[in-house]
Amino acid sequence: MHNPFVPETVEGWSLLHQAFHLDWRALHALSSAERQAIAAEAAPLFARPPWRESGVGDVGQSILVQMLGHKGDLLLVHARRTFDELSQAQLDVAQTRLFELLVPASSYVSIVELGMYDMTAKIHGQLEERGLAAGSEPFDQAFDEELAIQARRMAPRLFPILPRRRQVCFYPMNKRRGEVKNWYAESFESRAAMMREHGHIGRQYAGRVTQIISGSIGLDDWEWGVDLFADDPLVFKKLIYEMRFDKASAEFAEFGPFYVGLQFDAAELGALLDGRTPALDTSTP
Amino acid sequence: MHNPFVPETVEGWSLLHQAFHLDWRALHALSSAERQAIAAEAAPLFARPPWRESGVGDVGQSILVQMLGHKGDLLLVHARRTFDELSQAQLDVAQTRLFELLVPASSYVSIVELGMYDMTAKIHGQLEERGLAAGSEPFDQAFDEELAIQARRMAPRLFPILPRRRQVCFYPMNKRRGEVKNWYAESFESRAAMMREHGHIGRQYAGRVTQIISGSIGLDDWEWGVDLFADDPLVFKKLIYEMRFDKASAEFAEFGPFYVGLQFDAAELGALLDGRTPALDTSTP
Amino acid sequence: MHNPFVPETVEGWSLLHQAFHLDWRALHALSSAERQAIAAEAAPLFARPPWRESGVGDVGQSILVQMLGHKGDLLLVHARRTFDELSQAQLDVAQTRLFELLVPASSYVSIVELGMYDMTAKIHGQLEERGLAAGSEPFDQAFDEELAIQARRMAPRLFPILPRRRQVCFYPMNKRRGEVKNWYAESFESRAAMMREHGHIGRQYAGRVTQIISGSIGLDDWEWGVDLFADDPLVFKKLIYEMRFDKASAEFAEFGPFYVGLQFDAAELGALLDGRTPALDTSTP
Amino acid sequence: MHNPFVPETVEGWSLLHQAFHLDWRALHALSSAERQAIAAEAAPLFARPPWRESGVGDVGQSILVQMLGHKGDLLLVHARRTFDELSQAQLDVAQTRLFELLVPASSYVSIVELGMYDMTAKIHGQLEERGLAAGSEPFDQAFDEELAIQARRMAPRLFPILPRRRQVCFYPMNKRRGEVKNWYAESFESRAAMMREHGHIGRQYAGRVTQIISGSIGLDDWEWGVDLFADDPLVFKKLIYEMRFDKASAEFAEFGPFYVGLQFDAAELGALLDGRTPALDTSTP
Amino acid sequence: MHNPFVPETVEGWSLLHQAFHLDWRALHALSSAERQAIAAEAAPLFARPPWRESGVGDVGQSILVQMLGHKGDLLLVHARRTFDELSQAQLDVAQTRLFELLVPASSYVSIVELGMYDMTAKIHGQLEERGLAAGSEPFDQAFDEELAIQARRMAPRLFPILPRRRQVCFYPMNKRRGEVKNWYAESFESRAAMMREHGHIGRQYAGRVTQIISGSIGLDDWEWGVDLFADDPLVFKKLIYEMRFDKASAEFAEFGPFYVGLQFDAAELGALLDGRTPALDTSTP
């Protein structure tokens, strides 16, 4: 039954973020040749997926991020079609020789999600106009059909090829359920209005930042994960600072830890193991 | 004495959840044959219990879950009739060779529980109708008899054979005791109404998800544990998101960490140790 | 000076709770004979104290609990007359060969305490009736004498021989000092009334559970420690759940971590090290 | 689009703070000559930048601080023009032999920032006086030009040569987003007034303390980082205590961990490794 | 400028508290002779300072405390005139052979402080009576002179020889800055009145407990540290329990972890390493 108080969502990639410390002492004990062999063995796990004009990734993808600070040295982001494939991605990493140089630091499990406040209200309205009674089977069936159409339309945002931009920022977040300020006790209309304002600010940054939202209610310790990709890290600071003043964030957002770093190519993993900042080739999509 | 402000509960399995990291470095140092021997030694602890048409597990049972993310690689769920048996299950795991490849990450101790808001009110009413004075010995005796009848009736839900479904989600939770919003300061009727609404949403998901609630007040750090079993992990996200808007959850639920993973057969433990996603045979109950 | 806003307390044993993980890998590397030798060396620290009809333990005592879950495998509870003796008990454990198989997990320092809301009010009343002015030296002297009488009368509860019951539950707790709900800003009468209601529920469980309250304000991170002993762990869950609805708990209690396990005899320590659930002989007091 | 509710900021150095424990056991196992060799190898990473009358650091800089207490023994502060350079600074430290004696304890990623409440209001006013409509392209372009002028003017504060003062204090902080007191829900004017009062107190300490504020919204777990440099650690205590009573701090500031220590010269690193408090030469700028 | 809303403080010793675990496994592997040699090497760091009738410690001092519970086995308290000397004390400990048997557990950095609510008000009043305008240079100069006089007068409390009493309790604390109850938003008069009541209770315990307050705003994670010294640990519990009901504590105090233990003489360090409770000679001051 489609609950009119709950915004509908459509879903895409299953995501696993994995942050690791590098065991530099062990790395120093290896020859550069050994480090390159280790990098070469692991690199295929992070192969670029075939380019698609649609922007839809038909097979899974995993990317590499060199992290800044002590929360980790290496962030892996795995996107897969199912949890079984995601689980295998996790196991594949664990079987590499690289893994013996990694110390797990943290992780995040989520599913790419588009929340649809306006669409939910619109479909409810349209179906009721068509004379379908909310909660009836024909209503629910028509609703499901409409959602399936939306999901197909939004495939490039649900199963995107991960953006090839240098700067990466990931953080989990909640909507506050405080004793006074409680997102889930706000009316649908109030929540929809706040999300509209929030989206309005986000759109001012279109082009400068690419965003992937994933839902993790029931899957991990926060409600959503946010991945941002940009060419300049200042954009993360400016965007999130400005959003902090919109009502949805100011009054209702709770933020988890922030992870930032530099995306790099699989072929550059050896450079990292040798202690050189690894590069990202952004000349091709 | 049966306290009319406190919902009665009936209890079943004692449960122990154990999450472990796998020591992949040590595993890599073993031959595949050694890994298979280690898996074979441990597998009998996770034997399937005899099938029962009643759905009631007459002997204890332990299941295996491959976890996603860094909170652990392997989740064990032990169901036993007593704490002595549960303690022995914990010791049995610790005596295996497998245990030397495990690093304890977390655990949870609880007892399967059915809370009975409506039943509590009903029995109080019926006994008072029969002229028994609340708090009197005959009242309490009649009440105990009625509870025993309920417990027998509910045996398949109190001592269930654990569901053979691929996707598993576990999390602990509290009812909020805030300075403003306090579940335990709400009237019995208000709490009963909220639990009815909460149950109503749950029933919309019947078939798609199997739920086991256990109580842990006085036993572990949260008040309840929730195990969900499904064929598709999206169901966890959809169900818990929708419930977040019901009053019991929106205003009063506090959630602990979420653990998700894939249930698998004891015979597949060796596959996991070799780095392959282990399978679950769901063709038979 | 006896402060009429502060309930008087009388004190008994100094208590040290110590939770340890067992190093199973190291244990597996030992022969069973070595494990038995290690157990035999440590066992005298946990000798049963001489039986006393008074129930008063005249010498110190230390008991053993096999813990459920990952918070530890072994809980030791030491009761001593002074902090110097308690310190020596801690050092004695550290000097055993057993200690080399233990990894400290947590601990708790407290002093057995009986809080006396009703008695405090009563003594204040009686002394004022006798014409003694509160705050005067004769008043304080008479008060001290009365407290000493109470302490002698309560010796079996202040210096109890620790109960020989199988199931053990320990948790620390606070009275809330919130911005809205603040136990310490409630009137003496209001606090006394809440403690009476709280005690009333506790007495319903007399016989089924034995309770030892210790105070730890100024000694450890919570204000009180609670030890419960029972024959059935369900009693912990039922008692604490029911109490959660009384006003003192519902509005003012904050709970720390819960530790549960099975008390066992010193002679059974070797069984535990061999991986068998150790027994408790409850046939004699 | 320049949002009139959000104070504009101009940015300078990218900063990475790294706190490490020293592995004294490993250090003791080395000869003093080996320790000096290790110090000599790492010292060039902390070379003093060329002196500039402008006070603007044209190349990056890294400084050394001996920390007090158990949060770490050594704090490194790296200032660089880009995140790529910052990442390379992090990698360079990890490639030294010194790094094998360091255990990472914590870190902080941020960008030097000047928040401009008064300037933001002033530019909005001036541009509107010039007849430019807020939100229009000419308005935004003129605004960007004005900000660029300000950034050039403030270069010595955005890209400062790090102060050569002995005492160093670092801490991260947030503006509170509570359910009742919420900085981000205050009006622009109210926030501007509070920041003016806050700045007024800070200016009383001019000369006695040098302050560098960096922003970390979207980059690390707190919103801002504060570095203080002084000749006497009492100044930190007096300044921050006095500020705690201004409205911006009293009602809205949330503080993270505080790190204090003694800045020292790269040439003194060997003294530290030998166990002697390393010195700072403050005789030249 | 002397701010009339901020109580003046005068300062004394810089303090470093260091808590360590003892590595008992490593200790057991040593002969008793080796342990005594290790103790003898470290003991001079904890030499008793020369006795002074004034009670003022003219040179620094470090004391030893055997801790109860798992937060540590050994607490060191260092008092020095400057942070440079404190840093050297920390380094001196790290250079001993004893240090190789210690695992750092926690620490605290602070400066002995006397807060002077009444004195602050009194000086403001006197200077204004003398016709000096608050905020003027002559006012500030006269104020500084008066503070210097007070500091000399209070030298025995600012630079005390640390009390030779057996029982030691240390804890850090904050004044609450809640959304409703905020110490820093209370008027000067209200805060002064609460501190008077708080001090009144403390004085009831004069003789039974010796207290050293240190300030750590800007230096460590809490605002103040409290060291208590007594002959009986019950005094800690009784004093802090009674204070919990005064308004300053009930409504505004937030407490960090509590550390308790037994002070002992440097000459007894070898006893501790051998597993015997070390003694304190209190027969001489």
Side-chain angles (χ1 to χ4, degrees):
Chain A
M1 201 187 89
H2 293 279
N3 186 329
F5 303 108
V6 180
E8 298 293 335
T9 54
V10 288
E11 280 82 8
W13 292 125
S14 294
L15 294 185
L16 174 64
H17 288 71
Q18 294 185 291
F20 295 99
H21 302 286
L22 275 169
D23 182 345
W24 288 109
R25 291 193 198 198
L27 273 164
H28 295 175
L30 301 175
S31 69
S32 182
E34 285 172 303
R35 290 193 291 258
Q36 298 317 307
I38 286 169
E41 183 216 34
L45 299 178
F46 306 96
R48 290 176 62 174
W51 184 78
R52 295 286 183 257
E53 198 167 357
S54 66
V56 178
D58 38 9
V59 295
Q61 182 183 2
S62 296
I63 63 168
L64 294 150
V65 179
Q66 182 203 358
M67 297 170 71
L68 274 168
H70 81 295
K71 290 176 200 154
D73 294 286
L74 184 63
L75 176 70
L76 308 181
V77 187
H78 307 284
R80 293 293 186 281
R81 288 270 168 177
T82 67
F83 269 32
D84 271 66
E85 287 177 53
L86 208 53
S87 150
Q88 189 58 55
Q90 178 174 325
L91 287 175
D92 286 348
V93 170
Q95 306 319 307
T96 59
R97 285 173 61 203
L98 176 66
F99 190 83
E100 303 194 10
L101 302 163
L102 300 178
V103 181
S106 67
S107 69
Y108 207 76
V109 177
S110 56
I111 298 179
V112 172
E113 165 188 308
L114 290 170
M116 306 191 298
Y117 270 97
D118 289 343
M119 186 62 69
T120 299
K122 199 173 135 195
I123 304 179
H124 272 277
Q126 286 175 341
L127 297 186
E128 280 166 20
E129 239 168 64
R130 279 163 56 185
L132 297 172
S136 70
E137 207 162 301
F139 180 99
D140 280 353
Q141 199 178 319
F143 209 124
D144 286 342
E145 279 163 20
E146 186 54 35
L147 280 181
I149 292 167
Q150 295 298 333
R152 276 194 300 277
R153 191 176 61 83
M154 291 172 174
R157 291 171 64 195
L158 296 173
F159 296 97
I161 297 179
L162 299 177
R164 294 183 65 72
R165 301 185 90 161
R166 179 62 158 170
Q167 307 291 334
V168 179
C169 171
F170 172 73
Y171 60 95
M173 63 173 293
N174 283 344
K175 290 299 192 201
R176 176 182 278 167
R177 294 188 307 114
E179 298 189 68
V180 178
K181 299 277 181 191
N182 186 331
W183 177 261
Y184 295 94
E186 293 281 307
S187 73
F188 187 94
E189 289 69 29
S190 160
R191 283 179 278 128
M194 286 190 271
M195 292 311 290
R196 264 194 301 274
E197 181 203 8
H198 189 68
H200 179 70
I201 292 175
R203 275 190 298 279
Q204 308 268 344
Y205 287 80
R208 279 181 291 162
V209 66
T210 315
Q211 169 182 281
I212 296 174
I213 303 291
S214 50
S216 46
I217 289 180
L219 305 176
D220 214 320
D221 299 355
W222 297 78
E223 299 180 339
W224 286 277
V226 179
D227 283 281
L228 302 178
F229 299 81
D231 304 330
D232 180 350
L234 253 183
V235 173
F236 301 147
K237 180 167 158 308
K238 298 267 186 197
L239 166 63
I240 300 176
Y241 188 39
E242 182 167 353
M243 280 188 166
R244 201 145 289 189
F245 290 93
D246 71 38
K247 197 177 174 186
S249 301
E251 299 197 355
F252 294 105
E254 294 176 335
F255 298 99
F258 282 79
Y259 301 91
V260 291
L262 309 175
Q263 189 179 174
F264 64 94
D265 287 313
E268 290 281 312
L269 184 54
L272 176 61
L273 302 189
D274 274 354
R276 296 191 311 277
T277 299
L280 179 72
D281 173 7
T282 55
S283 63
T284 58
Chain B
M1 203 187 88
H2 292 280
N3 185 330
F5 303 108
V6 181
E8 298 292 335
T9 54
V10 288
E11 278 82 9
W13 293 126
S14 294
L15 294 184
L16 173 64
H17 288 72
Q18 294 185 291
F20 296 99
H21 302 286
L22 276 168
D23 182 346
W24 288 108
R25 292 193 198 198
L27 274 163
H28 295 174
L30 300 174
S31 69
S32 182
E34 285 172 303
R35 290 193 291 256
Q36 297 316 306
I38 286 170
E41 184 217 34
L45 299 178
F46 306 96
R48 289 177 61 174
W51 184 77
R52 294 287 181 256
E53 198 167 356
S54 66
V56 178
D58 39 9
V59 295
Q61 182 183 2
S62 297
I63 63 167
L64 295 149
V65 179
Q66 183 203 358
M67 297 170 70
L68 274 168
H70 80 295
K71 290 176 200 154
D73 294 287
L74 184 63
L75 176 70
L76 308 181
V77 187
H78 307 284
R80 293 294 186 280
R81 288 270 168 176
T82 66
F83 269 32
D84 271 67
E85 287 177 53
L86 208 54
S87 150
Q88 189 59 54
Q90 178 174 325
L91 287 175
D92 286 348
V93 170
Q95 306 319 308
T96 59
R97 285 174 61 203
L98 176 65
F99 191 83
E100 304 194 9
L101 303 163
L102 300 178
V103 182
S106 67
S107 69
Y108 208 75
V109 177
S110 56
I111 298 179
V112 172
E113 164 188 310
L114 290 169
M116 305 191 299
Y117 270 97
D118 289 342
M119 186 61 70
T120 299
K122 200 173 134 195
I123 304 178
H124 272 277
Q126 286 174 342
L127 296 186
E128 280 167 19
E129 241 169 61
R130 280 163 56 186
L132 296 172
S136 70
E137 206 162 303
F139 180 98
D140 279 353
Q141 199 177 319
F143 209 123
D144 286 342
E145 279 164 20
E146 186 55 35
L147 280 181
I149 292 167
Q150 295 300 332
R152 277 193 299 277
R153 191 175 62 83
M154 292 173 174
R157 292 171 64 195
L158 295 173
F159 296 97
I161 297 178
L162 298 177
R164 294 183 65 71
R165 302 185 90 161
R166 180 61 159 171
Q167 307 291 334
V168 179
C169 171
F170 173 73
Y171 59 95
M173 62 173 294
N174 284 344
K175 290 298 192 201
R176 176 181 279 167
R177 295 188 306 115
E179 298 189 68
V180 178
K181 298 280 181 189
N182 186 331
W183 177 260
Y184 294 93
E186 292 281 307
S187 73
F188 187 94
E189 289 69 28
S190 160
R191 282 178 278 128
M194 287 190 271
M195 292 311 290
R196 265 194 301 274
E197 181 203 9
H198 189 68
H200 180 70
I201 292 176
R203 275 190 299 279
Q204 308 268 345
Y205 288 80
R208 281 182 289 163
V209 67
T210 314
Q211 169 182 281
I212 297 175
I213 303 291
S214 50
S216 45
I217 289 180
L219 306 176
D220 215 320
D221 300 354
W222 297 78
E223 298 180 340
W224 286 278
V226 179
D227 284 280
L228 302 177
F229 299 81
D231 304 331
D232 180 349
L234 252 184
V235 174
F236 302 147
K237 181 167 157 311
K238 298 267 187 198
L239 166 62
I240 300 176
Y241 188 40
E242 182 167 352
M243 279 188 167
R244 202 145 290 188
F245 290 93
D246 71 37
K247 196 178 174 186
S249 300
E251 299 197 357
F252 294 105
E254 294 175 335
F255 298 100
F258 282 79
Y259 300 90
V260 292
L262 308 174
Q263 189 179 175
F264 64 94
D265 287 314
E268 290 280 314
L269 184 54
L272 176 61
L273 302 189
D274 274 356
R276 296 191 312 276
T277 299
L280 179 73
D281 173 8
T282 57
S283 64
T284 57
Chain C
M1 201 187 88
H2 293 279
N3 185 331
F5 302 108
V6 181
E8 297 293 334
T9 54
V10 288
E11 279 82 9
W13 291 126
S14 294
L15 294 184
L16 174 64
H17 289 71
Q18 295 184 289
F20 296 99
H21 302 285
L22 275 168
D23 182 346
W24 288 109
R25 292 192 197 197
L27 274 164
H28 295 174
L30 300 174
S31 70
S32 182
E34 286 171 303
R35 290 193 292 258
Q36 298 316 307
I38 286 169
E41 184 217 34
L45 299 178
F46 306 95
R48 289 178 61 175
W51 183 79
R52 296 285 182 258
E53 199 166 355
S54 66
V56 177
D58 38 10
V59 294
Q61 182 183 1
S62 297
I63 64 168
L64 294 149
V65 180
Q66 182 202 359
M67 297 169 71
L68 275 167
H70 80 295
K71 289 176 202 154
D73 294 286
L74 184 62
L75 177 70
L76 308 181
V77 187
H78 307 283
R80 292 294 185 280
R81 289 270 167 175
T82 66
F83 269 32
D84 271 66
E85 287 177 52
L86 208 53
S87 149
Q88 189 58 55
Q90 178 174 324
L91 287 176
D92 286 348
V93 170
Q95 305 320 308
T96 60
R97 285 173 62 202
L98 176 65
F99 191 83
E100 304 194 10
L101 302 163
L102 300 178
V103 182
S106 66
S107 68
Y108 207 75
V109 177
S110 55
I111 298 179
V112 172
E113 164 188 310
L114 291 169
M116 305 192 298
Y117 269 97
D118 289 342
M119 186 60 70
T120 299
K122 201 174 134 194
I123 303 179
H124 272 278
Q126 287 175 340
L127 297 186
E128 280 166 19
E129 241 169 63
R130 281 164 54 189
L132 296 172
S136 70
E137 207 162 303
F139 180 98
D140 279 353
Q141 198 177 320
F143 208 124
D144 285 343
E145 279 163 20
E146 186 55 35
L147 280 181
I149 292 166
Q150 295 299 332
R152 277 193 299 277
R153 192 176 61 83
M154 292 172 173
R157 292 171 65 197
L158 295 174
F159 296 97
I161 297 178
L162 298 178
R164 295 183 64 72
R165 302 185 88 160
R166 180 62 159 170
Q167 307 291 335
V168 179
C169 172
F170 172 73
Y171 60 95
M173 63 174 294
N174 284 344
K175 291 298 191 202
R176 176 182 279 167
R177 294 188 306 116
E179 298 190 67
V180 178
K181 299 278 182 190
N182 186 331
W183 178 260
Y184 294 92
E186 292 280 308
S187 73
F188 187 93
E189 290 68 29
S190 161
R191 284 179 276 128
M194 286 189 271
M195 292 312 290
R196 265 194 300 274
E197 180 202 10
H198 189 69
H200 179 71
I201 292 175
R203 276 189 298 280
Q204 307 268 344
Y205 287 79
R208 281 181 289 161
V209 67
T210 315
Q211 170 183 282
I212 296 174
I213 303 291
S214 49
S216 45
I217 288 180
L219 306 176
D220 214 321
D221 299 355
W222 298 78
E223 298 180 339
W224 286 277
V226 179
D227 284 280
L228 303 177
F229 299 81
D231 303 330
D232 180 350
L234 253 183
V235 174
F236 302 147
K237 181 168 157 310
K238 297 267 187 199
L239 166 63
I240 299 176
Y241 188 39
E242 183 166 352
M243 279 188 167
R244 200 144 294 188
F245 290 93
D246 69 37
K247 197 179 173 185
S249 301
E251 300 197 354
F252 295 105
E254 294 176 336
F255 299 100
F258 282 79
Y259 300 91
V260 291
L262 310 174
Q263 189 180 175
F264 64 94
D265 288 313
E268 290 281 314
L269 184 55
L272 176 61
L273 301 189
D274 274 354
R276 297 190 312 275
T277 300
L280 179 72
D281 173 9
T282 56
S283 64
T284 56
Chain D
M1 202 186 90
H2 292 279
N3 186 330
F5 303 108
V6 180
E8 298 293 334
T9 54
V10 288
E11 278 82 8
W13 293 125
S14 295
L15 294 185
L16 174 63
H17 287 72
Q18 294 185 290
F20 296 98
H21 302 286
L22 275 168
D23 182 345
W24 288 110
R25 292 193 198 198
L27 273 164
H28 295 175
L30 300 174
S31 69
S32 181
E34 285 172 304
R35 290 193 290 258
Q36 298 316 308
I38 286 169
E41 183 216 34
L45 299 177
F46 305 96
R48 289 176 64 174
W51 184 77
R52 294 286 181 257
E53 198 166 357
S54 66
V56 177
D58 38 9
V59 295
Q61 182 183 2
S62 296
I63 63 168
L64 295 150
V65 180
Q66 182 202 0
M67 297 170 71
L68 275 167
H70 80 296
K71 290 176 200 155
D73 294 286
L74 185 62
L75 176 70
L76 308 181
V77 186
H78 307 284
R80 293 293 186 281
R81 289 270 167 176
T82 67
F83 269 33
D84 271 66
E85 287 177 52
L86 208 54
S87 150
Q88 189 58 54
Q90 178 174 325
L91 287 175
D92 286 347
V93 170
Q95 305 321 306
T96 59
R97 286 172 62 202
L98 176 65
F99 190 83
E100 303 194 10
L101 302 164
L102 300 178
V103 181
S106 66
S107 69
Y108 207 75
V109 177
S110 56
I111 298 179
V112 172
E113 166 188 310
L114 291 169
M116 305 192 299
Y117 270 97
D118 290 343
M119 186 61 70
T120 300
K122 199 173 134 194
I123 304 179
H124 273 279
Q126 287 174 340
L127 297 186
E128 281 166 20
E129 241 168 62
R130 280 163 55 185
L132 297 173
S136 69
E137 206 162 301
F139 180 98
D140 280 353
Q141 199 178 320
F143 208 122
D144 286 342
E145 279 164 20
E146 185 55 36
L147 281 180
I149 292 168
Q150 295 299 332
R152 276 193 300 275
R153 190 176 61 83
M154 292 172 173
R157 291 171 65 197
L158 295 173
F159 296 98
I161 296 178
L162 298 177
R164 294 183 65 72
R165 302 185 88 161
R166 179 62 158 172
Q167 308 290 334
V168 179
C169 172
F170 172 74
Y171 59 96
M173 63 173 294
N174 282 345
K175 290 299 191 200
R176 176 182 277 168
R177 294 187 307 114
E179 297 189 67
V180 178
K181 299 277 182 191
N182 186 332
W183 177 261
Y184 295 93
E186 292 281 307
S187 72
F188 188 94
E189 289 68 29
S190 161
R191 282 178 277 127
M194 286 190 270
M195 291 312 290
R196 264 194 301 272
E197 180 203 8
H198 190 67
H200 180 71
I201 292 176
R203 274 189 299 277
Q204 308 269 343
Y205 287 80
R208 280 181 291 161
V209 67
T210 314
Q211 170 183 280
I212 297 175
I213 304 290
S214 50
S216 46
I217 289 181
L219 305 176
D220 214 319
D221 299 356
W222 298 79
E223 299 179 339
W224 286 276
V226 179
D227 283 279
L228 302 179
F229 299 82
D231 304 330
D232 179 350
L234 254 183
V235 173
F236 302 147
K237 181 167 158 309
K238 298 267 185 197
L239 166 63
I240 300 176
Y241 188 39
E242 182 167 353
M243 278 189 167
R244 202 145 289 188
F245 290 94
D246 71 37
K247 197 177 175 187
S249 300
E251 300 197 356
F252 294 105
E254 294 175 337
F255 298 100
F258 282 79
Y259 301 90
V260 290
L262 309 175
Q263 189 179 174
F264 64 94
D265 287 313
E268 290 281 312
L269 184 55
L272 176 62
L273 301 189
D274 274 353
R276 297 191 311 276
T277 300
L280 179 73
D281 173 7
T282 56
S283 62
T284 57
Chain E
M1 201 186 90
H2 292 280
N3 185 330
F5 302 108
V6 180
E8 298 293 335
T9 53
V10 288
E11 280 81 9
W13 292 126
S14 294
L15 294 184
L16 173 65
H17 288 71
Q18 294 185 290
F20 296 98
H21 302 286
L22 275 168
D23 181 345
W24 288 109
R25 291 192 198 198
L27 273 164
H28 295 175
L30 299 174
S31 70
S32 181
E34 286 172 304
R35 290 194 291 258
Q36 299 316 308
I38 286 169
E41 183 216 34
L45 299 178
F46 305 96
R48 289 177 64 175
W51 183 78
R52 295 284 181 257
E53 199 167 355
S54 66
V56 177
D58 38 9
V59 295
Q61 182 183 2
S62 296
I63 63 168
L64 295 150
V65 180
Q66 182 203 0
M67 297 170 70
L68 276 167
H70 80 295
K71 289 176 202 154
D73 294 286
L74 184 63
L75 176 70
L76 308 181
V77 187
H78 306 284
R80 292 295 185 281
R81 288 270 168 176
T82 66
F83 269 33
D84 271 67
E85 287 177 52
L86 209 53
S87 149
Q88 188 59 54
Q90 178 174 325
L91 287 176
D92 286 348
V93 171
Q95 305 319 308
T96 60
R97 285 172 63 202
L98 176 66
F99 191 83
E100 304 195 9
L101 302 162
L102 300 178
V103 181
S106 67
S107 69
Y108 207 74
V109 178
S110 55
I111 299 180
V112 172
E113 165 188 309
L114 290 169
M116 306 192 298
Y117 270 97
D118 290 343
M119 186 61 70
T120 300
K122 200 173 134 196
I123 303 178
H124 272 279
Q126 287 175 340
L127 296 186
E128 281 166 18
E129 242 169 61
R130 279 164 55 187
L132 296 173
S136 70
E137 206 162 302
F139 180 99
D140 280 353
Q141 198 178 320
F143 209 123
D144 286 342
E145 278 163 21
E146 185 56 34
L147 280 181
I149 292 167
Q150 295 300 332
R152 276 193 299 277
R153 192 176 61 83
M154 292 171 174
R157 292 171 65 198
L158 296 173
F159 296 97
I161 296 179
L162 299 177
R164 295 183 63 72
R165 302 185 89 160
R166 179 62 158 170
Q167 308 291 334
V168 179
C169 171
F170 172 73
Y171 60 96
M173 64 173 293
N174 283 345
K175 290 299 190 200
R176 176 182 277 167
R177 295 188 305 117
E179 297 189 66
V180 179
K181 299 276 182 191
N182 186 331
W183 177 260
Y184 295 92
E186 292 281 308
S187 73
F188 187 94
E189 288 69 29
S190 161
R191 283 178 277 127
M194 286 189 271
M195 291 312 291
R196 265 194 300 273
E197 180 202 8
H198 189 68
H200 179 71
I201 292 175
R203 276 190 298 277
Q204 308 269 344
Y205 287 80
R208 280 182 290 162
V209 67
T210 314
Q211 170 183 281
I212 297 175
I213 303 291
S214 50
S216 46
I217 288 181
L219 305 176
D220 214 320
D221 299 355
W222 297 78
E223 298 180 339
W224 285 277
V226 179
D227 283 279
L228 302 178
F229 299 82
D231 304 330
D232 180 350
L234 253 183
V235 174
F236 302 146
K237 181 168 158 311
K238 297 268 186 198
L239 166 63
I240 300 176
Y241 189 38
E242 183 166 352
M243 279 189 166
R244 200 145 293 188
F245 290 93
D246 71 37
K247 197 177 174 186
S249 300
E251 301 198 354
F252 294 105
E254 294 175 336
F255 298 100
F258 282 79
Y259 300 91
V260 290
L262 309 175
Q263 189 180 175
F264 64 94
D265 287 313
E268 290 281 312
L269 184 54
L272 175 61
L273 301 189
D274 274 354
R276 297 190 312 276
T277 299
L280 179 73
D281 174 9
T282 56
S283 63
T284 56

